[in-house]
Amino acid sequence: MGKVVLVTGVARQLGGRFVRRIQRDPDVDRVVGVDAIPPEHHLGGADFVQADIRQPAVARVLAEHGVDTVVHLDVTGTPLGTGGSRTSVKETNVIGTMQLLGACQKSPTVQRLVVKSSTSVYGSAPRDPAVFTETTPPKSLPSGGFAKDAVEVEGYVRGFARRRPDVAVCVLRFANILGPCADSPLADYFSLPVLPTVFGYDPRLQFLHEDDVIDVLRIASHDPRRGTMNSGTFNVAGDGVVTLSQCSRRLGRPTVPVLLPAVTWVGSALRTVGVTDFSPEQIRLLTHGRVVRTTQMRETLGFEPKYTTAEAFADFARSRGAGLLPPERLARTVDRLSTLVSKERT
C-alpha cells in the first residue's frame, strides 16, 4: 500500500491546496483532510473528516484510517471565518497541537510528522543578530500572539520527538507567507490603504511564496531524496530581503510614520481598521525586522524556492491591485488614524 497522509487545517486555502497536490503523488494511496468546519473549496479525491483537533476524537481518525504521515498545518495567526477569535486561534494552535501529538504518540502506524511553524519564534529585538540560524537563541522570547503560540508548539513537538524517536519529525519555520491567497496579519497590514510605520526604522523583511510552501511541504512529507535529510528544523524563506519602505513603494501605498514612544497604540489602531491579530510581536517585526539563514534548507533538506523574497512580494502586490487611492478615501483613513493617535496620547 501507499502512504496515508492526514492533513490538518484543510478549511484554509493553504491546506486545501496542499491536499489537492499531495494526492497526485504516485506513492500516496490516500489523503485525509481534517478541520473543525467543512472547507468551502474542493479537496479533490481526499476524504474529509470534520473533527476538532482540540478534542481527543482525532486519535480515532488516525486509527480508523491507518495514517502513517501527519502534516500539521492548523497552526496559524488568524481566525477562520467571521465567528473566530484570538482565543479560539490560540486554543487550536496550542491545545490542538497537544491533542494531535498525544494521538500520534499512541498511534503505532504514524511514521512521519511535519509541522508548520514560523520564523517568528526568533522574535524581533534591537540587538538581534543580522541573520538567524536554526540554532540561534532569541534575544527576547515572543510574549504574545501567533509568535508565542509557535514557540509553545515547537516545545511540544520537541517533547514528542524525544518520546517517539522512531517517528521522523520535520519542523518548517516559514518566513512570512505571501501570494495571491495569503491569509495572515502581515498580509492584512499590507492591504491597508495607508501603512503605519515606526518613525526612524526601516526593517528588513523576508517572504516566502505560497507556491513554494506547497513544494517544501511535499518534500518534508515523503522519504528524503538521496543525499538529503528531511528530519529536523529548517528555516524556509525566499532569497534576498526587502525593506518596509520598498514594500510600501511597490504597493503604491503611503505611510504614516509614528514615533516609537507612541507605538503601543499601533496594534489597537490596526485592529480597529481590520487587522485581526496584530500583536506587539508584529509591531516589533515592523520596527526591527528579521532575516534568517536558509543554508540548511538548501544543503540538508534539498529545497530551492522558485520565488525570491522580492518576487513573492511582487506577486502578492499584483493580487492586491493598484495602490493609487481616491483622495477622499485616503483622507478618511489618515484622519481616522490621526484621531486614534490623539486619543491614545491624551
Side-chain angles (χ1 to χ4, degrees):
M1 288 183 61
K3 297 166 71 72
V4 179
V5 182
L6 181 140
V7 184
T8 66
V10 298
R12 295 181 182 273
Q13 288 292 335
L14 191 68
R17 283 193 60 189
F18 177 68
V19 165
R20 292 191 295 272
R21 179 62 189 88
I22 193 69
Q23 63 190 286
R24 300 203 304 267
D25 289 1
D27 58 345
V28 172
D29 183 62
R30 189 157 37 119
V31 178
V32 181
V34 174
D35 212 309
I37 63 175
E40 296 181 356
H41 44 261
H42 72 91
L43 299 178
D47 299 325
F48 173 69
V49 178
Q50 186 169 353
D52 191 334
I53 63 171
R54 294 173 293 182
Q55 304 300 323
V58 69
R60 186 169 62 250
V61 178
L62 292 176
E64 288 179 355
H65 294 273
V67 173
D68 55 67
T69 302
V70 175
V71 182
H72 183 30
L73 301 183
D74 208 355
V75 182
T76 184
T78 55
L80 185 62
T82 57
S85 66
R86 169 61 199 154
T87 300
S88 65
V89 170
K90 182 174 181 61
E91 288 179 353
T92 300
N93 289 344
V94 179
I95 298 176
T97 298
M98 290 175 62
Q99 288 284 3
L100 180 65
L101 294 177
C104 290
Q105 183 177 335
K106 297 175 183 177
S107 171
T109 61
V110 172
Q111 302 173 8
R112 180 170 295 278
L113 171 67
V114 181
V115 178
K116 171 181 176 284
S117 186
S118 167
T119 57
S120 62
V121 298
Y122 299 115
S124 295
R127 296 184 179 180
D128 279 347
V131 181
F132 283 99
T133 68
E134 286 84 352
T135 58
T136 305
K139 294 290 185 181
S140 177
L141 282 172
S143 59
F146 173 59
K148 187 172 186 292
D149 294 354
V151 170
E152 294 183 34
V153 164
E154 286 200 12
Y156 293 129
V157 172
R158 286 192 294 271
F160 169 81
R162 289 192 295 268
R163 293 188 295 272
R164 285 289 304 270
D166 58 308
V167 176
V169 178
C170 182
V171 176
L172 299 173
R173 289 176 177 167
F174 294 123
N176 289 285
I177 300 171
L178 289 182
C181 300
D183 176 22
S184 69
L186 195 62
D188 291 343
Y189 166 79
F190 282 131
S191 299
L192 293 171
V194 178
L195 305 181
T197 60
V198 181
F199 182 78
Y201 291 85
D202 193 14
R204 299 176 304 150
L205 304 172
Q206 279 179 314
F207 304 117
L208 180 69
H209 196 279
E210 55 195 23
D211 290 353
D212 286 324
V213 174
I214 303 302
D215 290 341
V216 73
L217 285 171
R218 287 185 58 238
I219 290 175
S221 302
H222 293 300
D223 292 335
R225 298 192 298 261
R226 185 173 183 178
T228 67
M229 181 176 69
N230 59 3
S231 298
T233 300
F234 301 94
N235 294 331
V236 186
D239 286 343
V241 300
V242 294
T243 62
L244 183 56
S245 61
Q246 290 173 326
C247 293
S248 67
R249 289 195 296 271
R250 295 174 189 185
L251 285 167
R253 285 168 166 77
T255 60
V256 177
V258 180
L259 293 174
L260 187 56
V263 77
T264 53
W265 64 265
V266 173
S268 59
L270 289 174
R271 285 191 290 273
T272 300
V273 294
V275 181
T276 55
D277 183 36
F278 216 87
S279 67
E281 299 307 318
Q282 292 284 349
I283 298 172
R284 293 189 185 101
L285 174 66
L286 296 180
T287 305
H288 307 294
R290 184 189 310 117
V291 178
V292 299
R293 192 180 306 280
T294 56
T295 304
Q296 294 302 316
M297 175 191 76
R298 289 175 171 79
E299 297 182 356
T300 305
L301 186 60
F303 174 67
E304 187 74 34
K306 296 177 182 176
Y307 292 81
T308 65
T309 285
E311 290 168 345
F313 188 81
D315 197 33
F316 166 79
R318 283 191 293 271
S319 71
R320 291 308 188 263
L324 298 177
L325 303 174
E328 59 274 14
R329 183 180 177 189
L330 179 58
R332 284 198 305 269
T333 305
V334 172
D335 290 344
R336 193 176 184 186
L337 288 171
S338 298
T339 302
L340 289 168
V341 176
S342 300
K343 288 181 179 179
E344 190 67 27
R345 288 178 176 175
T346 56

